[in-house]
Structures are given as C-alpha cells and as structure tokens.
C-alpha cells in the first residue's frame, strides 16, 4: 500500500448474491446491540427483470465527508488513510450526521438518559476509535480494531463471492476495471454509490 | 381548549411508541432514503442541509447573539429607557391565569435558548457529557413549553389581530427612537408585542414539532408524510433546517422581548408578576386602549 493510500469500500453489484454474510459477520465481530446494523444488504429494483441487483452499504468513508462538516461538536476525525472515525465520548447524539449522510450510515441506539438518542454508531472500517489501540475501552465502544492487526475488515473478509472489496482506492479501481473488461458484455454502469463516494476527490 | 391541548400532548407522546418498532430510517426505508440523495428528481435536501449547517447556521446564531445586544446597548446609550411614574394608579392587565401560563413559558425559554446555543457551539464546550446534559435539558424544557403554548395562544389571540394602530406604530417604531414621551398608537398589545406573540406561539409550535421529530427520529405523522411525499430522512432534514431558521427568529425576538420588558420600559416586568401596569405607562404606550378604558369607565 502506498503512503497516499485512501481506503475505500466497493461492492460489485454484479456479484453480490444477497447472502447477508457481511452484515451478520459485522454485527457478530463487533458485538453490536440489536437495532444497530452498521452494514446492510439492500436489493434495488426488486422484481424488475434485468434491473434487480443487490449491494451492501455501510459508511462509505466519503472524501470530504458530509458528516464531519455538520457535526456541532467536531467529534469526527479522518485518518491519513481516509477512514472516517468519530469520538463517542464527545458525540452528543444530535443526529446531524445522519441528516447529512448520503448512505444513512449513522445510527443511534436509544441508550441515553430518558431513552434519548445515545452516541452515534457507524462502520469504522474495523479501525476502532480514538481510545488506545486494541484496548478494552476501544473494543467496548467501537468493536474490533482489525486494521491495527493488519487484517481485512470483517465484512470483506467474509464475502464469499468477493463482491465486497476494501482497500486502497487505486487498487480497487483497477480490480473494478478488470472485472468490467473481462465480463465483456453489456453496458456496465458504475456501481451504486460510486459517485458520492469518490466524486469530490 | 382542554381537548386540543390533550390531543396535542398525546400526539407528542404516542409517537414515542413508534420508535420501538421497526425504524423507517435503517430498515426498509433506508433504500429509499439513500436513493434520493442528491438525485436530480429529489429536493437535494441532504446536500442543502449539509451546506447550511456547515457554513451558515452557527455563524448566523453568533451574529444574533452578538449583534442584537450590541444594537440594544447603542440604543440604551443614545436614547435610553422610558421611565414612567410608579406612584400613580395601576391598571389591572394580566389575570392570574395569564401570569402563570406566561411564567411557565418564560422559564421554559430561559432554559431552551441557552441550552440551544450551547448545542450550536458544542465544539467550544468540548462536547461530551456537559453538552449532552444540555441537550436533555432542552428536551425537558420542551415539555413544559408544550403544555402552555396552546393556552397562551388561546388566551391572548383576540387581542392580537392586526389593527390600524399597528401600522402607525410600526411607522414610528413604537416611539422607541425618540426621547420624548408621546402617546403611541396601540391597543392592549402593540405591534411589536403582537409580532412576538405570533412568533412565540405559532413559531413555538413549529419548534416543538421539528424538535420532537429530531428527538424521536421516527416521529411519524402519516399526514405529513403523505401530504409532502417526503421520505422520513428528508422530513428530518426539513425539521433540522426549520428548527434553525425559525429558531433564529425566535431567539432574536426573545432578546428584544427581554430588552423591552427589563431595560427599556423601566419596571414593565412587574406587570407580568403582579398583574398591574402603571397607569402612566398605559396612557402613553397603549394610548388607544387607555382611551377605551376611560370611555368604558374602567379606570
Ligand atoms: C420554542 C422553543 C424550542 C423548542 C420547543 C425546542 C425543542 C427542541 C427539541 C425537542 C429538540 C430535540 C432534542 C433532542 O434531540 O434531545 C431540539 C433540538 C435542538 N434545538 Fe431546540 N427547541 C426550541 C428552541 C431552540 C432555540 C431557540 C435554539 C437555538 C438557540 C434551538 C437549538 C436546538 C439545537 C441546536 C438542537 C439540536 C438538534 C437535536 O438535538 O436534535 N432550539 N429542540
Ligand atoms: S457514508 Fe455517511 S457517515 Fe460515512 S463518511 Fe460518508 S457521510 Fe460520513
Ligand atoms: S450525532 Fe454525534 S457525531 Fe453525529 S453530528 Fe451529532 S454530535 Fe456529531
């Protein structure tokens, strides 16, 4: 990986078979409470022949992340490698990041006082949070830190068809182009969410 | 009146039952929510909210927070307060019911406004527990305000419709730009008070509804969804934008209201505590009402 690597997800909707492994693996790996699904498999154009496809969405770790721009307590920080993380100890659970997000990624467990929205939870690309790496505090709040251990994020590691990929955006683009070329048929449109995720580079 | 109040409060609390069930935001509706983002056929509310919140809202609130008091200070120094005799007769203006309703609203606002500002400038307070607590207080004060907003709306509405006096009042800005004491055209309430009344009650209801929808997230008034055709997430974006825009107006006039009652018209605040206004104050600042009271032999 180069110094300037920017980490991205990519879900190849030609390959995704809607098995939901990624979202189950994510929920289990990070011991997420019920009601929070950091990753979700969605099916679009359901029942329309030739147009139906499934894809897996989570936080896409946007370039110029909108969530980071609107947060009133500035609790987001963007790592050198482009992973968008936030500090749950600072977050006040106002919901603004959800309103700004193109992917509906931020979620709010109802664990605040009087059942108010608790601290926001979203996909960390398995990179934990601001607490000490691999500490129990980090694990408690954000789940595993697989990136620090040199492992691929859980969802992509689990994906049986390798539809869901994660890594340096240059490499991901190369794989994507190769796949399009080798399929060699039909008009291949950019995968879902591509423009929002990559456009503002 | 009781019936409406009950319906209103019930509708606020019943919706809380909705959030336990399937969330419209993260489950089935998630597809619709994200599909609409920035698409040509959508209202682009996501990017609009992001742009406004990232660049304008906090700045606008800061401008009101600094600008409005600065104008007052200048006004106070240049023109100064209006002083009326407190030794004369008194005019009974506000019933005990009026005063209790007003006081509950006033206390609620004294919590809502500072806690709102603390959330907006949350980063300066370091976020975390303190700002979270302010957010919870903001939510609690909403409940007491929601209880009195409809009684307040109904108890004063008959005095609050536009009158010819109001146009004249506005032309001379209520006489506040001159030092001389002259009878100012106004009934029981002047044009400034009327504006504040409508903003605090109708605007206040907008604040309650938009605030409640942000609180519950799944706050679902089927009628609004079907009327507007907006998805839940877009409704939340509208709510967040409205809460900030209407909030700006509410805050600005709230400051004006306090400045007038505490600083400009010396002792005016006593009227909402005791119920009595100074006769001289009524004679000058509410001259039409004064004439009417005279004619009716009520003085
Ligand atoms: C009539 C007065 C108002 C009412 C009834 C009201 C109500 C609410 C409610 C119920 C919430 C949701 C709280 C939560 O999520 O826990 C909220 C949020 C908020 N309000 Fe207000 N509010 C009022 C005035 C204001 C004013 C004057 C300001 C600004 C100075 C303000 C700023 C905010 C902010 C920044 C939020 C954060 C968004 C959020 O927490 O969801 N509000 N309001
Ligand atoms: S997908 Fe949403 S939460 Fe993730 S970086 Fe983009 S705007 Fe932020
Ligand atoms: S919910 Fe938390 S992370 Fe999201 S904008 Fe509000 S304070 Fe920031």
């Amino acid at each position: 990986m180069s110094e300037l690597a920017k980490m991205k997800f990519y879900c190849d909707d030609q390959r995704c078979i809607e098995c939901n492994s990624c979202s189950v693996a994510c929920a289990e790996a990070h011991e997420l409470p019920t009601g929070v699904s950091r990753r979700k498999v969605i099916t679009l154009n359901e029942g329309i022949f030739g147009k139906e496809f499934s894809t897996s969405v989570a936080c896409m770790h946007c370039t110029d992340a909108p969530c980071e721009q609107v947060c009133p307590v500035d609790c987001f920080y963007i790592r050198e490698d482009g992973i968008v993380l936030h500090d749950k100890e600072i977050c006040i659970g106002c919901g603004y990041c959800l309103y700004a997000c193109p992917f509906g990624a931020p979620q709010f467990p109802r664990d605040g006082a009087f059942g108010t929205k608790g601290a926001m939870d979203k996909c960390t690309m398995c990179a934990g949070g601001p607490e000490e790496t691999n500490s129990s505090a980090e694990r408690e709040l954000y789940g595993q830190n697989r990136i620090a251990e040199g492992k691929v994020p859980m969802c992509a590691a689990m994906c049986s068809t390798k539809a869901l990929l994660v890594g340096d955006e240059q490499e991901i683009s190369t794989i994507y182009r190769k796949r399009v070329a080798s399929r060699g048929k039909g008009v291949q449109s950019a995968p879902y969410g591509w423009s929002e995720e990559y456009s503002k580079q | 009146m009781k019936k409406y109040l009950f319906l209103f409060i019930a509708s606020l609390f019943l919706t809380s039952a909705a959030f336990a069930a399937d969330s419209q935001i993260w489950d089935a509706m998630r597809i619709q929510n994200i599909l609409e983002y920035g698409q040509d056929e959508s209202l682009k509310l996501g990017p609009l909210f992001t742009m406004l919140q990232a660049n304008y809202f906090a700045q606008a609130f800061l401008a009101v927070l600094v600008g409005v008091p600065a104008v007052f200070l200048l006004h106070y120094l240049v023109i100064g307060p209006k002083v009326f005799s407190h030794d004369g007769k008194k005019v009974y203006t506000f019933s005990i019911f009026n005063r209790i309703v007003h006081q509950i609203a006033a206390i609620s606002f004294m919590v809502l406004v500072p806690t709102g500002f603390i959330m907006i400038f949350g980063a300066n307070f370091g976020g975390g527990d303190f700002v979270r607590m302010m957010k919870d207080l903001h939510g609690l004060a909403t409940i007491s305000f929601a209880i009195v907003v409809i009684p307040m709306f109904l108890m004063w509405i008959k005095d609050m419709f536009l009158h010819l006096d109001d146009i004249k009042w506005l032309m001379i800005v209520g006489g506040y730009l001159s030092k001389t004491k002259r009878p100012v055209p106004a009934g029981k309430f002047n044009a400034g008070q009327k504006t504040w009344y409508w903003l605090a009650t109708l605007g206040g209801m907008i604040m309650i509804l938009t605030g409640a929808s942000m609180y519950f997230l799944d706050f679902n008034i089927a009628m609004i969804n079907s009327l507007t055709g907006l998805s839940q997430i877009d409704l939340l974006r509208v709510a967040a934008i409205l809460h900030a825009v209407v909030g700006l107006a509410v805050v600005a006039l709230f400051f004006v209201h306090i400045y007038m009652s505490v600083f400009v018209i010396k002792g005016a605040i006593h009227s909402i505590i005791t119920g009595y206004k100074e006769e001289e104050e009524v004679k000058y600042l509410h001259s039409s009402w004064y004439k009417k009271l005279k004619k009716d032999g009520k003085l």
Side-chain angles (χ1 to χ4, degrees):
Chain A
M1 231 184 277
S2 78
E3 288 251 321
L4 294 166
K6 287 271 180 267
M7 301 286 280
K8 291 288 177 195
F9 281 120
Y10 155 50
C11 184
D12 187 340
D13 48 45
Q14 303 278 313
R15 285 187 177 222
C16 176
I17 56 169
E18 203 195 356
C19 70
N20 278 293
S21 304
C22 49
S23 80
V24 174
C26 171
E28 286 306 308
H30 303 300
E31 294 169 37
L32 300 179
T34 43
V36 171
S37 48
R38 290 184 180 175
R39 182 164 283 289
K40 183 143 183 115
V41 179
I42 60 174
T43 299
L44 298 159
N45 306 325
E46 210 165 339
I48 305 175
F49 184 74
K51 282 188 150 182
E52 180 179 304
F53 67 91
S54 297
T55 189
S56 172
V57 283
C59 168
M60 298 300 204
H61 301 272
C62 308
T63 318
D64 293 334
C67 53
E68 188 262 348
Q69 296 176 38
V70 299
C71 178
V73 293
D74 289 345
C75 75
F76 287 90
Y77 62 102
I78 299 176
R79 293 174 23 142
E80 289 264 282
D81 57 9
I83 300 179
V84 178
L85 296 179
H86 72 294
D87 188 335
K88 286 192 179 181
E89 303 281 3
I90 295 178
C91 168
I92 58 167
C94 71
Y96 282 4
C97 47
L98 169 66
Y99 313 152
C101 176
F103 299 101
Q107 311 189 19
F108 298 88
R110 294 259 162 205
D111 55 7
F114 324 109
T116 53
K117 302 192 287 285
M120 184 271 275
D121 190 273
K122 73 168 188 67
C123 159
T124 63
M125 209 182 262
C126 292
E131 268 75 12
E132 193 192 328
T133 301
N134 285 329
S135 62
S136 57
E138 183 189 51
R139 196 187 165 104
E140 179 70 25
L141 285 172
Y142 308 93
Q144 293 186 28
N145 190 338
R146 296 171 58 92
I147 296 278
E149 295 170 341
K151 293 178 185 161
V152 176
M154 199 67 199
C155 51
M158 184 61 86
C159 182
S160 57
T161 61
K162 289 292 161 269
L164 185 60
L165 302 177
V166 60
D168 171 24
E169 64 184 345
Q170 303 296 333
E171 283 172 39
I172 296 276
S173 301
T174 313
I175 296 174
Y176 165 61
R177 273 194 298 272
K178 270 197 201 136
R179 283 188 183 177
V180 172
S182 67
R183 271 181 209 126
K185 63 170 168 58
V187 185
Q188 172 75 49
S189 57
Y192 182 70
W194 190 267
S195 61
E196 279 304 329
E197 197 182 347
Y198 290 83
S199 64
K200 301 160 199 137
Q201 289 179 18
Chain B
M1 183 169 97
K2 276 217 184 90
K3 201 173 105 203
Y4 289 114
L5 180 63
F6 176 75
L7 275 179
F8 185 70
I9 296 172
S11 71
L12 275 183
F13 290 101
L14 279 180
T15 43
S16 67
F19 72 70
D22 269 5
S23 162
Q24 305 173 62
I25 296 162
W26 297 300
D27 290 326
M29 294 272 286
R30 183 157 174 179
I31 300 174
Q32 196 195 332
N33 291 341
I34 61 183
L35 269 182
E36 281 174 2
Y37 194 93
Q39 298 292 310
D40 283 340
E41 64 273 22
S42 89
L43 291 168
K44 297 195 172 65
L45 287 167
L48 176 69
F49 169 74
T50 305
M51 187 271 287
L52 291 171
Q53 169 65 22
N55 304 315
Y56 297 105
F57 286 156
Q59 287 80 339
F61 275 98
L62 184 66
V64 169
L65 184 64
V66 177
V68 175
V71 171
F72 291 159
L73 186 66
L74 195 73
H75 175 263
Y76 199 83
L77 294 176
V78 175
I79 295 166
K82 297 239 182 277
V83 185
F84 295 104
S85 160
H86 282 230
D87 308 324
K89 274 190 279 176
K90 317 259 183 215
V91 181
Y92 189 59
T93 316
F94 300 118
S95 72
I96 182 82
F97 180 72
N98 290 163
R99 282 175 277 153
I100 290 174
V101 165
H102 178 273
Q103 255 61 298
I104 294 175
I107 292 167
S108 310
F109 262 72
M110 286 190 290
V111 176
L112 284 166
V113 172
T115 53
F117 271 108
I118 290 170
M119 283 190 278
I120 292 166
F121 303 118
N124 302 88
F125 293 91
D129 288 333
F130 172 69
V131 182
R132 228 172 278 153
M133 209 163 77
M134 293 300 122
K135 191 185 78 156
D136 292 341
L137 273 180
H138 196 81
L140 282 177
T142 302
I143 298 175
S144 53
F145 180 62
I147 292 171
V148 293
V149 68
I150 290 179
M152 185 156 80
F153 181 69
L154 297 176
M155 78 190 185
W156 278 330
I157 190 165
K158 66 173 197 319
D159 300 314
M160 294 295 181
F161 294 109
L162 190 69
H163 187 273
L164 193 61
D165 278 345
D166 299 330
I167 315 273
K168 295 188 211 144
W169 188 93
L170 285 170
M171 306 261 264
I172 58 166
V173 204
Y176 291 109
L177 297 184
S178 95
K179 290 187 187 184
T180 49
K181 259 194 218 172
R182 245 176 313 177
V184 173
K188 186 171 176 183
F189 294 104
N190 64 39
Q193 291 171 306
K194 288 180 184 178
T195 313
W196 173 231
Y197 163 85
W198 290 107
L199 188 68
T201 55
L202 296 186
M205 289 182 218
I206 293 176
M207 296 304 279
I208 293 170
L209 289 175
T210 54
S213 49
M214 293 191 288
Y215 179 92
F216 294 120
L217 290 182
D218 276 322
F219 189 75
N220 186 1
I221 308 175
M223 197 184 71
I224 298 187
N225 288 60
S226 59
L227 261 183
T228 57
L230 290 178
S231 64
Q232 189 68 15
I233 192 87
D234 272 350
L235 278 179
L236 287 170
R237 289 169 178 146
V238 172
I241 294 172
L242 274 180
H243 204 81
V245 173
V246 179
L248 267 172
V250 168
V251 168
L253 284 206
F254 176 65
F255 287 169
V256 175
H257 185 58
I258 291 184
Y259 178 58
M260 287 296 157
S261 55
V262 178
F263 297 100
V264 178
I265 310 163
K266 284 279 176 239
I269 194 169
H270 297 299
S271 69
I272 203 70
I273 298 168
T274 63
Y276 290 93
K277 270 188 194 245
E278 302 304 325
E279 182 174 350
E280 203 197 8
E281 187 188 320
V282 174
K283 188 171 158 193
Y284 285 105
L285 294 184
H286 301 274
S287 65
S288 306
W289 190 47
Y290 185 75
K291 277 178 215 142
K292 186 168 171 292
L293 287 176
K294 266 245 146 102
K295 213 176 79 198
D296 297 349
K298 285 195 183 143
L299 282 177

